[in-house]
Amino acid sequence: MPDQTVDRAGGARTAPPAVHVEGLWKRFGEQIAVAGIDLTLPAGSFIGLVGPNGAGKTTTLSMVTGLLRPDQGRVQVAGHDVWLDPVEVKSRIGVLPEGLRLFERLSGRELLAYNGRLRGLPGDEVDKRAGQLLDVLDLAGAQHKLVVDYSTGMRKKIGLAAALLHNPEVLFLDEPFEGVDPVSAQTIRGVLERYTASGATVVFSSHVMELVESLCDWVAVMAAGTIRAQGPLAEVLGDAPSLQAAFLELVGAQGRDNGKSLDWLGGGAR
Amino acid sequence: MSTASLTSVFVRLKLSLLRNGLRQSSGRRAAFIVSMVVVLLFAALQLLGLLLLRGNEHALSLVVLLTGLLALGWAVLPLFFPSGDETLDPTRLVMLPLRPGPLVASLLVASLVGIGPLFTLCMVVGSAVALSHGAVALLVSIVAVPLTLLVCLALARTVAAANIRLLTSRRGRDLAVLSGLVIAVGIQFVNFGVQRLGDAGGLAALEPAAAIVRWVPPASAIGAVDSASDGAYGAALAQLALSALALVLLLRAWRRSLTKLMTTPDGSTLAAASEPTRGPSSAGRLHGLLPEGRTGTVMQRSFKYIWRDPKTKGAWVSSLAIGLIVPIFNALQGTGSIYFACFAAGMLGIMMYNQFGQDTSAFWMVAMTISSTRDAYEELRARALAMLVITLPYMTLVSLLTAAALGRWHDLPEVLGLSFALLGAMLATGAVSSARFPYSIPQDSAYKNVAPGQGGLAWLSLLGGMVMAALLCAPVIVLTVLLNASAGSGTQGLLLPVGAAYGALIAWAGVRIAAPQTARRLPEILTAVSKG
């Protein structure tokens, strides 16, 4: 499909969707983690995949990035099938998974050097890019420390650097801000904003609604293994005052008893 | 809160932890029941043995040394199994309003719950019964048995509390993981030590050691039983007093470190902040020596992991050590054959098995960069090459040393040829089983090398692989037998090039076969290695 190769800066509208998912299913034993979802994520956007814990976000992202084999369904990234055409897909995507380790007995710089060379980039180029990424992500001071001694925020940042090293078209980040301190979060945010401004796509999962609302221009809401809503942020928001409110309405979690039984809690009598 | 009610809280906490741990999986429950039965059987047998020992002239030596050994075990155990007992870690109690005095008392009582204390109790009761003759000795026993048990427990707790900073830091955990190595290699030495003891005139050799240990707490409490049986009441009293004093001192030391732990900031954060960083120097130099591209990159990471990852390091060092000890010691004792040198090839070849399990879930980084059979082939070949860099010279060295110890130089080429063929076969089967039967290696424990539920898989892969490797070596083995039978003088030298060529060919074929399977099964491999 040669007509789909488009100029990334200018012609985002004619590009194939960054991600196209059809009828994706995954079952773990009795439990259905992902129950037949369809998704079309436009290229060049900052996309948030939101949902409560256990909604199937991680499972979905793992299947989209080729780390987990779906029971059923089709996944295309930038117009290429993830399972039939891994050569095209793997060079185009960057991934920061959640709950998987890094090679923690390498230092931050060694991890980047290792990852870049495995990706087939020339050594000099890897070292140059690694140096710049470490600087921008505020890791230069810790670059010779082993990753096993990194804090959560530093791990997320070095993982992000490894995912960006080969300049992917689509970046998948699973909970990139989970357990990250505000300073690191701001750094990550700055890098991601710069990256999408150039026409690349970021897909990230989160359950922090404020963050998604302030960062994303496109949102998919997930609950119990299904997609409840997807579309531009304004569309998903509708009349709701915030994404939080819209989300609670979509997943049907409003109007729970807010704790009359806790009447002893607070000042006064012990 | 009073000491009594606090104690009951801790005892119930311990029981709940035990129960909930068992509820997690049926495998764990089965393992617990099996270990319970085995320990109880073992304890019963020991008890029986100790009862039979009653009246034996060496009874005192054996019993006293046994008690000393038990106490040593209790002192060392928490360092090796830091996560074994969650109530051992007093930093978990920091936020609770507890005074150290009642805390020490109730933690001590709570630690009486468990298989370990039960086993120890059996041993100590048996020891006392083996030595006690007469009413006074019986009375002394009644004091000595609980005293010994409490000293053991207090010892474990004190050591754990004193080292908790070390145990909860990364370096401490690394150390604990490496301890498996100490045990693996230690067993070899103990094995040869016991053989020596058998030669050196038996149990009488233990007498001088026992004469000292019977005055060392908590063995001195058991020593008191013997003294009382002999009518040496003064000595008995002194020995009991020694043990009691030890208990008091231990409890005070424990209390002091508890107080300090609960009133000072957590040391692990301080330690992490001041962790020394490593210089960039070595990495650059290594890059120059290794080939460009995936091959060099993967080899370099393999080497770094052998040196820096405690689990990988432990496995390598014990393989290297046992691969050397078995042929050399056997040769030195005059029982060995030069063919034992092939043992090194077998031990080291095992390291090729479950390659991706050794990566842990970080394998995703590798999986993301493998998009063709060619990539998978280069990945596996690089890992095999990294192994060869170490194993080839080492195997040659072991063969040389074995030949030197036995003085059979003319057999050297033959043994080397066999070793090379065996190593090649191990690499080949290792590569294939890495792709077909990957399993998780838990990283937190030195003793668990397989994640729960994957034990069968691990055995299948290792055992099946080794049988396959032996079968693959059969042509070279048959050739060796034939050449030896024909007794031609010069022809045995032929085995070196033949074995080497055959090993290289078969290793290459194995990697070739494993590559497409690896490339096809990436998500399945990742799932299998992410359970630890």
Side-chain angles (χ1 to χ4, degrees):
Chain A
M1 286 176 273
D3 57 326
Q4 291 195 337
T5 33
V6 283
D7 164 23
R8 275 169 64 180
R13 236 169 290 149
T14 54
V19 179
H20 181 70
V21 173
E22 271 176 46
L24 199 63
W25 280 84
K26 185 71 192 179
R27 182 196 296 268
F28 296 112
E30 289 288 287
Q31 204 209 337
I32 299 172
V34 173
I37 65 172
D38 302 302
L39 259 182
T40 307
L41 307 177
S45 319
F46 208 129
I47 297 157
L49 181 61
V50 300
N53 292 329
K57 304 189 294 288
T58 296
T59 311
T60 304
L61 284 181
S62 300
M63 289 192 286
V64 169
T65 52
L67 291 175
L68 182 69
R69 200 183 296 281
D71 293 340
Q72 215 179 320
R74 228 156 62 96
V75 182
Q76 284 185 326
V77 173
H80 300 279
D81 191 291
V82 170
W83 297 98
L84 300 179
D85 203 355
V87 180
E88 291 295 329
V89 172
K90 283 188 176 173
S91 60
R92 283 185 164 81
I93 62 174
V95 184
L96 173 60
E98 159 78 6
L100 295 180
R101 289 167 193 263
L102 299 166
F103 282 104
E104 293 176 359
R105 303 283 165 167
L106 300 179
S107 72
R109 181 172 269 280
E110 286 168 351
L111 185 73
L112 296 185
Y114 168 72
N115 200 45
R117 284 175 174 83
L118 277 197
R119 292 257 182 204
L121 297 175
D124 305 338
E125 183 65 19
V126 173
D127 294 336
K128 195 186 91 194
R129 290 187 186 183
Q132 292 175 356
L133 279 167
L134 288 166
D135 277 337
V136 171
L137 287 167
D138 227 359
L139 287 171
Q143 58 176 321
H144 298 306
K145 225 164 142 175
L146 296 192
V147 175
V148 70
D149 292 323
Y150 277 18
S151 66
T152 310
M154 290 161 83
R155 274 168 204 250
K156 295 274 186 194
K157 286 195 288 186
I158 200 71
L160 179 64
L164 284 170
L165 201 58
H166 57 292
N167 189 24
E169 277 176 46
V170 189
L171 187 60
F172 295 93
L173 310 170
D174 197 355
E175 301 281 4
F177 298 100
E178 184 87 345
V180 176
D181 66 279
V183 180
S184 297
Q186 190 53 42
T187 315
I188 293 177
R189 210 177 149 146
V191 171
L192 293 182
E193 276 169 342
R194 192 197 299 187
Y195 172 71
T196 42
S198 70
T201 313
V202 172
V203 181
F204 84 99
S205 74
S206 179
H207 50 238
V208 185
M209 299 301 152
E210 293 78 6
L211 192 80
V212 174
E213 194 172 353
S214 69
L215 268 177
C216 298
D217 41 38
W218 213 95
V219 179
V221 179
M222 218 179 158
T226 55
I227 297 287
R228 294 291 163 87
Q230 59 172 313
L233 180 65
E235 218 171 88
V236 172
L237 270 176
D239 302 330
S242 67
L243 186 60
Q244 173 89 5
F247 174 77
L248 290 179
E249 201 171 306
L250 279 167
V251 302
Q254 263 176 337
R256 278 197 194 145
D257 178 19
N258 282 327
K260 273 218 176 97
S261 55
L262 293 181
D263 50 5
W264 50 268
L265 192 60
R270 295 271 140 162
Chain B
M1 201 185 278
S2 75
T3 308
S5 61
L6 189 62
T7 304
S8 88
V9 167
F10 274 117
V11 170
R12 270 182 291 152
L13 171 69
K14 183 120 186 216
L15 288 171
S16 307
L17 284 172
L18 199 66
R19 205 169 41 233
N20 293 346
L22 296 181
R23 206 184 287 161
Q24 265 173 6
S25 78
S26 53
R28 213 162 147 176
R29 199 154 49 233
F32 178 79
I33 292 169
V34 168
S35 64
M36 188 88 176
V37 169
V38 168
V39 166
L40 285 179
L41 266 178
F42 188 65
L45 281 177
Q46 290 274 346
L47 194 61
L48 199 70
L50 286 167
L51 293 181
L52 289 176
L53 209 61
R54 203 175 144 87
N56 186 297
E57 56 169 327
H58 295 303
L60 176 67
S61 310
L62 263 181
V63 158
V64 162
L65 286 179
L66 182 71
T67 314
L69 218 60
L70 264 178
L72 187 70
W74 277 101
V76 180
L77 229 57
L79 299 178
F80 283 180
F81 297 95
S83 56
D85 184 350
E86 282 165 275
T87 56
L88 267 179
D89 181 358
T91 50
R92 285 169 196 247
L93 310 171
V94 164
M95 296 308 289
L96 303 174
L98 300 170
R99 297 255 141 231
L103 187 61
V104 163
S106 37
L107 279 177
L108 187 63
V109 176
S111 53
L112 283 169
V113 179
I115 306 184
L118 185 65
F119 177 75
T120 311
L121 184 68
C122 289
M123 296 289 96
V124 178
V125 167
S127 302
V129 171
L131 294 178
S132 95
H133 300 275
V136 182
L138 185 68
L139 253 162
V140 174
S141 301
I142 289 172
V143 182
V145 168
L147 191 60
T148 312
L149 185 60
L150 286 179
V151 170
C152 284
L153 292 174
L155 192 61
R157 291 281 172 160
T158 310
V159 171
N163 291 297
I164 201 79
R165 287 280 153 76
L166 177 69
L167 296 183
T168 50
S169 74
R170 200 254 301 164
R171 243 151 242 273
R173 287 195 303 271
D174 286 3
L175 220 73
V177 170
L178 270 180
S179 66
L181 165 72
V182 178
I183 291 191
V185 177
I187 286 175
Q188 299 298 320
F189 280 102
V190 169
N191 186 17
F192 287 106
V194 168
Q195 286 179 17
R196 279 285 155 85
L197 195 66
D199 301 339
L203 296 171
L206 297 175
E207 299 282 354
I212 299 170
V213 175
R214 62 183 296 208
W215 285 95
V216 177
S220 70
I222 299 298
V225 178
D226 183 64
S227 300
S229 300
D230 290 348
Y233 299 128
L237 206 62
Q239 282 168 317
L240 269 187
L242 264 177
S243 278
L245 181 71
L247 180 61
V248 171
L249 287 179
L250 281 172
L251 288 180
R252 274 175 69 175
W254 180 16
R255 185 181 160 150
R256 226 189 359 260
S257 47
L258 263 186
T259 313
K260 208 171 116 196
L261 270 176
M262 298 186 118
T263 51
T264 45
D266 185 2
S268 59
T269 39
L270 301 176
S274 61
E275 204 71 56
T277 60
R278 20 188 103 237
S281 52
S282 63
R285 259 182 285 133
L286 237 125
H287 261 309
L289 289 174
L290 294 170
E292 267 282 303
R294 185 182 279 269
T295 307
T297 310
V298 172
M299 285 176 76
Q300 202 183 7
R301 193 198 52 83
S302 299
F303 291 139
K304 282 181 184 148
Y305 260 61
I306 292 173
W307 182 245
R308 291 184 197 163
D309 182 51
K311 198 97 192 184
T312 315
K313 192 196 245 178
W316 268 96
V317 176
S318 51
S319 273
L320 289 172
I322 295 173
L324 180 72
I325 289 172
V326 169
I328 299 293
F329 273 35
N330 274 308
L332 289 178
Q333 292 198 324
T335 54
S337 139
I338 181 130
Y339 297 106
F340 270 123
C342 297
F343 195 76
M347 279 311 288
L348 292 170
I350 291 177
M351 305 301 298
M352 186 67 191
Y353 282 70
N354 199 23
Q355 273 294 322
F356 305 126
Q358 296 177 29
D359 289 1
T360 69
S361 57
F363 175 71
W364 75 268
M365 291 195 107
V366 178
M368 282 312 297
T369 62
I370 293 181
S371 40
S372 64
T373 301
R374 178 81 208 164
D375 291 338
Y377 171 68
E378 286 183 4
E379 176 79 29
L380 283 165
R381 190 186 59 186
R383 289 174 188 238
L385 283 175
M387 284 198 55
L388 284 175
V389 168
I390 299 173
T391 46
L392 279 184
Y394 193 77
M395 264 169 36
T396 312
L397 179 76
V398 170
S399 303
L400 275 171
L401 289 174
T402 313
L406 291 167
R408 291 178 52 179
W409 290 104
H410 63 282
D411 286 334
L412 185 61
E414 176 181 338
V415 167
L416 273 175
L418 266 179
S419 291
F420 290 148
L422 179 60
L423 182 67
M426 291 293 282
L427 289 181
T429 51
V432 174
S433 82
S434 291
R436 299 296 310 181
F437 310 108
Y439 56 90
S440 301
I441 304 176
Q443 293 298 299
D444 48 353
S445 158
Y447 306 94
K448 278 185 265 155
N449 284 312
V450 185
Q454 291 184 316
L457 192 66
W459 278 108
L460 181 76
S461 114
L462 208 59
L463 220 64
M466 269 152 58
V467 170
M468 267 309 288
L471 284 178
L472 287 173
C473 279
V476 183
I477 297 173
V478 169
L479 186 65
T480 312
V481 174
L482 285 180
L483 285 182
N484 273 320
S486 68
S489 53
T491 47
Q492 284 160 337
L494 222 108
L495 276 164
L496 175 55
V498 167
Y502 185 77
L505 180 76
I506 216 163
W508 172 81
V511 171
R512 264 257 108 95
I513 292 169
Q517 302 188 2
T518 305
R520 226 181 12 248
R521 289 173 37 88
L522 287 172
E524 283 73 23
I525 295 175
L526 179 63
T527 308
V529 302
S530 303
K531 295 188 195 296

